[in-house]
Amino acid sequence: MRAIPIFAAVASMIGVWIIAFQLSKDPADRLLLAGATNDAQHTDSPKTVGSTCRLIGQHAQTYDCEIVGNPNADRWPEPTAEHAYARSVWDMETATIGGKGERIYFGGGDWGLNQGPVPIWSLYWQKPKEENANIRIAQEQPVYGEAIEFFREIDGRLYVPDIDPKDPWAYGNIYALDNDGWFKYRNLEHAVHVFDVIGFQGAIVASAGVVENSNGFAGLYRSTDNGVSWMRLPVSHGESRDAYRYWRMAEFGEGLFVAQSSARNGYWTLDKNWHLQFHDTDLFPDMGDADLRLTVSRAVPFGGDVLYTPKLDRMPINPQLRDFPLAPIYQSNVHFRNWWDKIIAAWSFTHRNLYRLTQNGNVDIVKIPGRPHINDVLILEGEVYVLGTSFDAENYQAIILSSSDLENWNEVQKIETQAIAYSFEYLDGEWFLGLAADGMTDNNISSGEIIRIYSNVSGAN
């Protein structure tokens, strides 16, 4: 592969940040961004010396793995816990956008320690796969915010919510990619933290944490013109203040499921008439009395219901929890250093479960063989795929399982990795895993790596 001189790479990166800064100062309905690179300027991603992966499951004889690269190491190269956390691949999304063809899009970053801007990357085959072409990782576009934790494809466009913009907080940002290029929508009033976007009833809905007149509360926005303008849906001030932030969303029957910051206290639904309704159901009833501020990390529709996983939004109030090991799903960070100590969640309180919210309001705990810690969930052709993590004395063990009924599970792949497999996607018949740090105190050099699982049978693609 072609080596890129360090000076040229650094100069290019600096130029990208300058472009991003110049294009991000003022609100804009639809601002076309200058692309960071094109496909001819691909990134030959650095591979960490000594980092490994190994298939250990029942398919280990017919499949193998390789580390494709660690592109976020270009942005956060230091062997520190802070950079390891920012290198983490929080989400991956397979999408076909315009003439680019099918690719996996991913990012990284850290909105606790404010380690932006953040590059967006795409992974693709340089030529048709049957020609045994190399996999390439290209830098798509910098996001002038602190972290990228979620992607969403809606009607052939890729949307990226800006969780914590480096711009002034009068407006929140959403980035979008279509056949014309990358666009920035800086027009969501006071939406400092935009966590998700979703298509609904011919419109686009964005969930956010709003900061207005020094007050923080939850906000849900609707756009009927693909992001050019937004209207905040009405909800009482008291309810929106209690919700604090609206997080992950998913189709739920004929409406939408909307998680709030404290999912122990309830969730919201948006019906087809655009009415928001609060439900006081505890989404994590097996957590007992654990005093954790839990929200929803992943949420996907399944049979009219919603499957979801937990995530820690803010620090646990109970100081005794600080003596327990970190749980990987609960991303430990320093959130505004002068306000909060490090967020530390108790592994023994998490139960590492996948949950199902039914349309009648019941919460079921989905039993996963071996009880791995579920980090990601995908629905592919009606089948549920989960990515779980467990541990042995030296390595993390990632397992991909599938089920059509949530009762009978099949092992798809099992692999040893040197960091947590936090996100996964499927491209051209192969699985790709994104690795992450185990909390803010983990200086794991393997954080940010992309792993490919492929068939090693002669003649197979």
Side-chain angles (χ1 to χ4, degrees):
M1 292 184 175
R2 175 173 60 87
I4 300 175
I6 294 177
F7 177 80
V10 172
S12 175
M13 186 68 72
I14 292 174
V16 166
W17 303 145
I18 291 174
I19 291 172
F21 177 74
Q22 291 174 340
L23 292 177
S24 63
K25 293 179 181 179
D26 301 317
D29 290 341
R30 177 179 163 92
L31 182 62
L32 178 63
L33 298 177
T37 63
N38 57 40
D39 289 350
Q41 298 171 299
H42 67 270
T43 297
D44 293 327
S45 304
K47 295 181 174 69
T48 306
V49 176
S51 187
T52 61
C53 62
R54 183 170 70 94
L55 268 293
I56 57 176
Q58 62 191 44
H59 304 298
Q61 299 301 314
T62 54
Y63 286 85
D64 206 343
C65 63
E66 67 170 343
I67 299 168
V68 177
N70 193 334
N72 278 333
D74 290 337
R75 173 70 179 91
W76 297 282
E78 298 176 7
T80 62
E82 287 80 4
H83 274 211
Y85 189 80
R87 285 196 303 271
S88 298
V89 181
W90 302 124
D91 188 36
M92 306 175 81
E93 178 76 5
T94 299
T96 302
I97 307 298
K100 286 181 174 289
E102 191 175 42
R103 300 186 175 199
I104 295 177
Y105 295 86
F106 59 94
D110 171 13
W111 61 286
L113 291 184
N114 296 326
Q115 296 191 72
V118 180
I120 298 174
W121 304 94
S122 67
L123 180 152
Y124 64 102
W125 294 94
Q126 187 183 24
K127 297 178 181 179
K129 183 181 173 185
E130 55 268 20
E131 298 182 16
N132 296 319
N134 290 329
I135 291 175
R136 297 299 174 92
I137 299 177
Q139 183 173 313
E140 288 280 337
Q141 176 65 48
V143 167
Y144 197 69
E146 309 296 356
I148 300 171
E149 287 192 357
F150 203 62
F151 294 83
R152 179 84 76 170
E153 184 180 9
I154 305 172
D155 295 333
R157 302 186 84 207
L158 185 70
Y159 290 84
V160 184
D162 188 347
I163 292 180
D164 190 2
K166 299 182 79 67
D167 305 300
W169 283 5
Y171 296 90
N173 304 332
I174 290 176
Y175 293 77
L177 172 67
D178 60 27
N179 202 35
D180 295 326
W182 280 98
F183 293 86
K184 178 178 181 179
Y185 298 95
R186 177 163 167 71
N187 49 13
L188 287 82
E189 285 192 332
H190 308 294
V192 174
H193 302 103
V194 183
F195 293 104
D196 198 358
V197 289
I198 193 170
F200 181 64
Q201 295 283 100
I204 302 173
V205 179
S207 60
V210 179
V211 177
E212 186 175 6
N213 298 323
S214 299
N215 295 316
F217 53 92
L220 211 62
Y221 295 75
R222 178 179 67 175
S223 173
T224 57
D225 50 17
N226 296 318
V228 174
S229 61
W230 296 87
M231 178 190 72
R232 196 161 72 206
L233 299 179
V235 62
S236 74
H237 181 68
E239 287 183 314
S240 63
R241 185 182 63 245
D242 291 341
Y244 187 55
R245 291 164 174 161
Y246 289 135
W247 282 74
R248 201 64 67 229
M249 298 181 288
E251 296 176 12
F252 188 36
E254 295 183 349
L256 285 183
F257 160 85
V258 183
Q260 64 176 20
S261 278
S262 183
R264 304 288 321 261
N265 295 334
Y267 66 94
W268 296 73
T269 54
L270 181 66
D271 66 24
K272 58 184 179 181
N273 296 316
W274 299 97
H275 296 144
L276 266 170
Q277 183 178 356
F278 176 69
H279 309 264
D280 61 2
T281 302
D282 182 355
L283 291 183
F284 305 108
D286 59 323
M287 296 293 184
D289 295 329
D291 202 354
L292 301 171
R293 193 181 187 96
L294 295 171
T295 186
V296 170
S297 176
R298 314 286 190 188
V300 296
F302 181 72
D305 300 335
V306 175
L307 301 178
Y308 59 94
T309 62
K311 172 189 176 73
L312 186 67
D313 176 26
R314 306 182 76 170
M315 68 177 296
I317 300 172
N318 185 348
Q320 294 178 349
L321 299 184
R322 303 181 185 192
D323 297 330
F324 287 89
L326 291 176
I329 193 72
Y330 299 138
Q331 304 159 20
S332 176
N333 60 64
V334 181
H335 186 63
F336 302 114
R337 286 182 181 274
N338 58 333
W339 289 358
W340 305 102
D341 294 331
K342 288 184 178 180
I343 298 174
I344 299 178
W347 173 267
S348 58
F349 282 98
T350 66
H351 299 283
R352 310 184 294 281
N353 286 324
L354 176 69
Y355 301 84
R356 180 179 189 173
L357 175 66
T358 65
Q359 293 186 56
N360 61 13
N362 292 332
V363 174
D364 299 326
I365 301 169
V366 180
K367 296 181 180 179
I368 308 292
R371 300 193 71 204
H373 195 124
I374 303 302
N375 293 334
D376 204 353
V377 185
L378 293 176
I379 307 293
L380 298 175
E381 296 181 352
E383 191 88 354
V384 179
Y385 292 84
V386 297
L387 173 66
T389 296
S390 56
F391 307 88
D392 61 21
E394 297 180 354
N395 295 296
Y396 296 95
Q397 293 182 356
I399 187 168
I400 300 174
L401 298 165
S402 69
S403 176
S404 58
D405 57 10
L406 303 182
E407 294 183 0
N408 301 289
W409 293 88
N410 300 309
E411 179 181 308
V412 178
Q413 298 291 350
K414 192 174 185 181
I415 179 175
E416 281 188 350
T417 62
Q418 293 188 288
I420 293 169
Y422 194 87
S423 56
F424 71 149
E425 262 297 351
Y426 194 66
L427 178 67
D428 280 336
E430 297 180 353
W431 290 100
F432 292 82
L433 310 181
L435 304 190
D438 188 356
M440 182 52 75
T441 60
D442 181 14
N443 62 354
N444 196 321
I445 62 171
S446 296
S447 171
E449 287 178 349
I450 305 297
I451 292 179
R452 171 196 176 203
I453 300 176
Y454 61 93
S455 172
N456 62 17
V457 177
S458 176
N461 289 330

